[in-house]
């Protein structure tokens, strides 16, 4: 396989849209085509007009004067059907190319029954008309989590309204706009013209939390978790990495940026902070990349003069234009710079130009990203190498990994060198070291063993053992044409899940009793709890035709996930901010060094060497582990991520563990992790304890796993004593129906 190169021509696709609060309506085909000419991919449109907003406000004002209470639902006015002045939309050729926005001034979370009822009516009217017009994507404002200084609890009624909207527009793709973190001050500023500002005090007084609220960094995620597709509004200052990682694991469809998201450098050009660049880079690595929506960054240029020559925002910018060295301006400075930026005639769409520049400056893909492209979060059933005869193409995929075979060759070389230098005796009468390759496949390890023998000048007697009769034919051909004369890769994604211990049990008694060597010498399986909503949704959909799907461990390149249990990790001595302080212009990092790292714990190990005989049963290969993971932040556990580390020979190791892979076997692509799903996801409150029990079971005919996850919390008792209390637990998962046959 090719090694990663800096001239990788791959470039991610950035779908960039443009949103204007005061857009001239309607959006015509000429406006859309002009936006395309400027290098925007899409435009937004409101579903209703300011006239409709004014009409609804009049109804609300009149109802408030009538002092309607929560026990008088029949007196709440009904909004008449939409009329021509109420909406700019009409069915047409371009309608399906527009992103439609529900009125941002509704408040579906309002504790005031009048406001919440009117808001639902607006939502249902707009969803129904958008569906009629042929709109495909509709965006709804997220739940209002604060009313004044009080935190409200209207998320369930918001979720119910969205569920009803989905039934009205059954073919629509509905997405909810969320800020990354909830901010009561920002919500208060946005209440001008918002129905939330008309919530009556008597209903706010009924809210059970009446104290001023500081921003809850997980508040919006908590609300989203109640509702479940999301669109994300990016702030200028990103929240902690743990919050970023949580949103990264969710199905984000769109990320919205306003002028406040950007900094403005000494050339009055909009730029993003290094943290935002890295976050966007990470999002653009997922299998289905989110869209980018630039909000209120200026109108589409050229609409007033169709003959004007407007330069295309292609992303080719001078280094000075995109360097962020000015620091963060004050709000007044930012507003002034934004106005002056739009006056420049050399670039009529500076924010779009910068995003296109960022698209061109994405880091090249790593070798793992090249190899795994298209397999992010794609579930695969583990192989059954003992019962199934693999096809040549399957072997070929494994053989594309040079790292694994380099390490195996290095291990064989070191073993042969030690054997020679220590003067160990051999089983062969003529002094050659006997080497057996168990599970030879198409022969790559045989080739590496012969190469190691030649490099160390140690003669070997090589035996290749393979149960696949089709691969055996190819081994014979290699022996005739490639090898002068006629070690084992039996590891699976969880080390032992493809029966490596059982296979080696049948041959280890043939090793020399004192000096025999097994490569690998040992291996250890690891686990960590993860949030993986995309994988859970995929498994749930498979359950309709495969009832065993929730109990089947799957091989998967874990990508859009969030580690739920973290440990501290020192920051990298080299960082983007370090170079930025020197005025350097760096491309964003694809793997920014986190301040915390996942807690990934060992479950069990297997060690291999000479043994006196073949075991009479397989009970010695059963295992059990009980692991405890402390969680700092609330979340949802959808399953367990499984990895392994293997010692091929002392000092030579390989790993799929994210914490050690770069150090032990960087760039290795032969194994994706394994995922143990939970049939029912578990909610974890802040500062909880997650306990995992996992078993490796056998009945002499097959091997399977069983696993269970429980959540515990801490109760504070009188006197300061704390007690651990079980909060919940999932069902015992069992892969017995799809166990690996011996």
């Amino acid at each position: 396989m090719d090694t990663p190169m800096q001239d990788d021509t791959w470039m991610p696709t950035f779908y960039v849209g443009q949103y204007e609060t005061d857009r001239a309506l309607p959006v015509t085909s000429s406006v859309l085509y002009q936006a395309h000419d400027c290098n925007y991919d899409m435009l937004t449109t409101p579903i209703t007009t300011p006239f409709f907003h004014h009409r609804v406000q009049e109804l609300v004002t009149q109802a408030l004067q009538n002092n309607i209470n929560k026990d008088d639902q029949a007196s709440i006015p009904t909004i008449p059907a939409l009329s021509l002045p109420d909406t700019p939309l009409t069915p047409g050729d371009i309608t399906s190319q527009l992103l439609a926005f529900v009125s941002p001034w509704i408040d579906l979370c309002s504790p005031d029954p009048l406001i919440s009822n009117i808001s639902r009516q607006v939502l249902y009217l707009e969803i129904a008309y958008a569906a009629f017009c042929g709109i495909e994507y509709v965006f709804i404002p997220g739940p209002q989590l604060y009313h004044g200084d009080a935190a409200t609890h209207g998320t369930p009624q918001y979720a119910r309204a969205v569920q009803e909207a989905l039934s009205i527009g059954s073919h629509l793709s509905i997405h909810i706009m969320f800020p990354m973190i909830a901010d009561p001050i920002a919500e208060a500023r946005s209440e001008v013209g918002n129905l939330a500002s008309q919530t009556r005090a008597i209903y706010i007084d009924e809210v059970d939390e009446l104290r001023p609220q500081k921003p809850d960094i997980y508040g919006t995620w908590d609300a989203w978790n109640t509702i479940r597709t999301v669109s994300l509004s990016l702030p200028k200052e990103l929240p902690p990495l743990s919050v970023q990682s949580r949103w990264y694991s969710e199905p984000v469809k769109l990320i919205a940026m306003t002028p406040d998201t950007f900094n403005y450098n000494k050339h009055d050009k909009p730029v993003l902070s290094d943290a935002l660049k890295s976050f966007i880079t990470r999002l653009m690595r997922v299998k289905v990349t989110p869209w980018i929506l630039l909000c209120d960054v200026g109108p589409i240029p050229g609409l007033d003069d169709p003959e004007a020559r407007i330069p295309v925002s292609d992303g080719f910018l001078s280094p000075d234009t995109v360097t962020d060295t000015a620091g963060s301006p004050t709000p007044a400075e930012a507003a002034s710079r934004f106005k002056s930026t739009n006056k420049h005639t050399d670039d009529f769409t500076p924010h779009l130009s910068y995003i296109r520049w960022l698209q061109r400056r994405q880091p090249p893909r790593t070798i793992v990203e090249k190899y795994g492209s298209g397999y992010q979060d794609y579930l695969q059933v583990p192989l059954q190498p003992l019962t199934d005869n693999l096809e040549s193409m399957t072997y070929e995929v494994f053989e594309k990994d040079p790292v694994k075979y380099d390490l195996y060759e290095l291990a064989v070389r070191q073993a042969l060198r030690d054997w020679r230098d220590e003067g160990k005796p051999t089983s062969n009468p003529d002094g050659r070291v006997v080497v057996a390759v168990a599970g030879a496949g198409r022969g790559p390890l045989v080739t590496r063993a012969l190469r190691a023998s030649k490099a160390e000048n140690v003669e070997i007697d090589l035996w290749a053992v393979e149960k696949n009769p089709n691969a055996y034919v190819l081994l014979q051909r290699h022996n005739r044409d490639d090898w002068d004369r006629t070690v084992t890769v039996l590891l699976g994604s969880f080390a032992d899940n493809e029966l490596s211990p059982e296979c080696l049990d049948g041959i280890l008694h043939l090793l020399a009793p004192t000096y025999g060597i097994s490569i690998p010498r040992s291996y250890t399986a690891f686990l960590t709890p993860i949030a993986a909503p995309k994988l859970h949704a995929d498994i749930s959909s498979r359950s309709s035709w495969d009832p065993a799907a929730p109990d089947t461990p799957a091989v998967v390149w874990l990508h859009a996930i969030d580690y739920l249990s973290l440990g501290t990790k020192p920051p990298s001595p080299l960082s983007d901010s370090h170079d930025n302080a020197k005025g350097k212009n760096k491309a964003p990092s694809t793997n920014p060094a986190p301040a915390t790292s996942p807690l990934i714990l060992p479950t069990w190990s297997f060690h291999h060497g000479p043994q006196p005989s073949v075991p009479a049963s397989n009970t010695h290969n059963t295992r059990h582990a009980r692991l405890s993971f402390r969680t700092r932040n609330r979340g949802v556990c959808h399953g367990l991520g499984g990895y392994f580390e293997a010692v091929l020979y002392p000092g030579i190791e390989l790993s799929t563990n994210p914490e050690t892979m770069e150090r032990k076997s960087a760039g290795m692509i032969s194994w994706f992790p394994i995922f143990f799903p939970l049939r029912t996801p578990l909610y974890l409150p802040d500062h909880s304890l997650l306990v995992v029990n996992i078993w490796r079971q056998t009945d002499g005919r097959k091997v399977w796993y069983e696993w269970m996850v429980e959540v515990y919390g801490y109760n504070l008792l009188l006197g300061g004593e704390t007690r651990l209390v079980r909060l919940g637990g999932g069902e015992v998962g069992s892969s017995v129906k799809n166990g690996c046959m011996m």
Side-chain angles (χ1 to χ4, degrees), residues 204-254:
I204 296 179
D205 290 342
E206 291 180 359
V207 178
D208 58 8
E209 289 186 26
L210 290 175
R211 60 186 183 277
Q213 299 290 315
K214 64 180 181 180
D216 179 1
I217 61 175
Y218 281 91
T220 52
W221 177 83
D222 245 346
W224 155 243
N225 186 52
T226 303
I227 304 164
R228 289 272 147 192
T229 353
V230 60
S231 300
L232 207 57
S233 177
L234 295 185
K236 178 180 294 187
E237 299 294 333
L238 284 176
L241 283 169
S242 59
V243 179
Q244 297 178 41
S245 183
R246 179 64 50 79
W247 283 115
Y248 174 74
S249 71
E250 297 291 353
V252 176
K253 180 63 178 179
L254 180 146

Side-chain angles (χ1 to χ4, degrees), residues 391-435:
E391 297 180 353
S392 182
M393 288 296 294
T394 304
Y395 287 118
E396 183 177 353
V397 171
F398 298 147
E399 293 167 12
K400 287 182 177 180
D401 185 352
V403 176
K404 174 181 68 178
Y405 292 107
D406 287 346
L407 289 170
Y408 268 89
E409 181 180 338
L410 185 61
V412 175
R413 286 189 60 177
Q414 188 63 49
L416 292 177
R417 184 185 308 144
D418 292 346
W419 200 290
R420 178 194 62 205
D421 295 346
E422 296 172 14
K424 296 178 181 179
T426 66
S427 301
N428 196 305
D430 61 9
R432 289 178 295 172
V433 178
V434 178
V435 177

Side-chain angles (χ1 to χ4, degrees), residues 134-184:
I135 290 288
E136 295 183 11
Y137 299 97
V138 173
F139 294 82
I140 301 176
Q144 186 101 2
L145 302 181
Y146 296 90
H147 289 82
D149 287 339
T152 56
H153 305 285
T155 305
Q157 70 184 37
Y158 181 99
R160 176 183 170 277
V162 172
Q163 186 177 30
E164 181 66 22
L166 286 168
S167 66
I168 294 173
S170 57
H171 72 275
L172 292 175
S173 180
I174 295 179
H175 303 273
I176 302 168
M177 299 290 294
F178 276 99
M180 284 194 77
I181 56 174
D183 186 348

Side-chain angles (χ1 to χ4, degrees), residues 69-333:
N69 58 52
K70 62 182 179 182
D71 298 322
D72 191 16
Q73 296 287 323
S75 300
I76 294 178
T78 300
I79 302 175
L82 297 180
S83 60
L84 184 61
D86 292 327
T87 176
L89 288 180
T90 188
D93 294 337
I94 70 165
T95 306
S96 62
Q97 303 177 49
L98 300 176
L99 308 181
F101 276 66
V102 168
S103 294
W105 40 265
I106 63 175
D107 182 11
L108 298 168
C109 281
S110 178
D112 188 326
L114 170 65
I115 301 301
S116 60
N117 187 296
I118 292 291
S119 297
R120 287 195 298 274
Q121 291 186 55
V122 171
L123 174 66
Y124 300 157
L125 281 172
E126 295 190 351
I127 290 293
Y129 188 71
F132 166 77
C133 290
I135 290 288
E136 295 183 11
Y137 299 97
V138 173
F139 294 82
I140 301 176
Q144 186 101 2
L145 302 181
Y146 296 90
H147 289 82
D149 287 339
T152 56
H153 305 285
T155 305
Q157 70 184 37
Y158 181 99
R160 176 183 170 277
V162 172
Q163 186 177 30
E164 181 66 22
L166 286 168
S167 66
I168 294 173
S170 57
H171 72 275
L172 292 175
S173 180
I174 295 179
H175 303 273
I176 302 168
M177 299 290 294
F178 276 99
M180 284 194 77
I181 56 174
D183 186 348
I185 298 176
E187 288 198 6
R189 287 199 301 263
S190 67
E191 286 188 358
V192 177
N194 195 320
L195 293 184
S197 63
Q198 297 178 272
T199 300
R200 289 168 286 184
I202 184 176
Y203 295 106
I204 296 179
D205 290 342
E206 291 180 359
V207 178
D208 58 8
E209 289 186 26
L210 290 175
R211 60 186 183 277
Q213 299 290 315
K214 64 180 181 180
D216 179 1
I217 61 175
Y218 281 91
T220 52
W221 177 83
D222 245 346
W224 155 243
N225 186 52
T226 303
I227 304 164
R228 289 272 147 192
T229 353
V230 60
S231 300
L232 207 57
S233 177
L234 295 185
K236 178 180 294 187
E237 299 294 333
L238 284 176
L241 283 169
S242 59
V243 179
Q244 297 178 41
S245 183
R246 179 64 50 79
W247 283 115
Y248 174 74
S249 71
E250 297 291 353
V252 176
K253 180 63 178 179
L254 180 146
I255 50 178
M257 303 182 192
T258 68
D260 290 338
T261 307
F262 293 82
N263 294 323
Y264 293 87
N265 62 20
K266 62 182 179 181
H267 299 283
D268 287 333
K269 295 297 184 180
V271 293
L272 294 175
S273 66
D274 289 334
L276 274 170
K277 286 189 290 186
S278 294
F279 182 67
I280 291 172
T281 293
R282 190 181 181 196
L283 283 175
M284 292 305 170
R285 251 59 181 183
V286 300
K287 189 173 183 179
V288 180
T289 58
W291 301 338
I292 295 174
L293 188 64
L294 297 178
C295 303
D296 294 323
V297 296
I300 301 296
L303 293 179
D304 54 346
D305 185 6
E307 302 300 323
R309 296 178 61 87
I310 305 298
V312 175
S313 298
D314 53 16
F316 291 101
L317 302 175
S318 65
D320 288 344
T321 303
V322 294
T323 301
D324 180 15
T325 57
S328 298
T330 65
E333 290 173 336

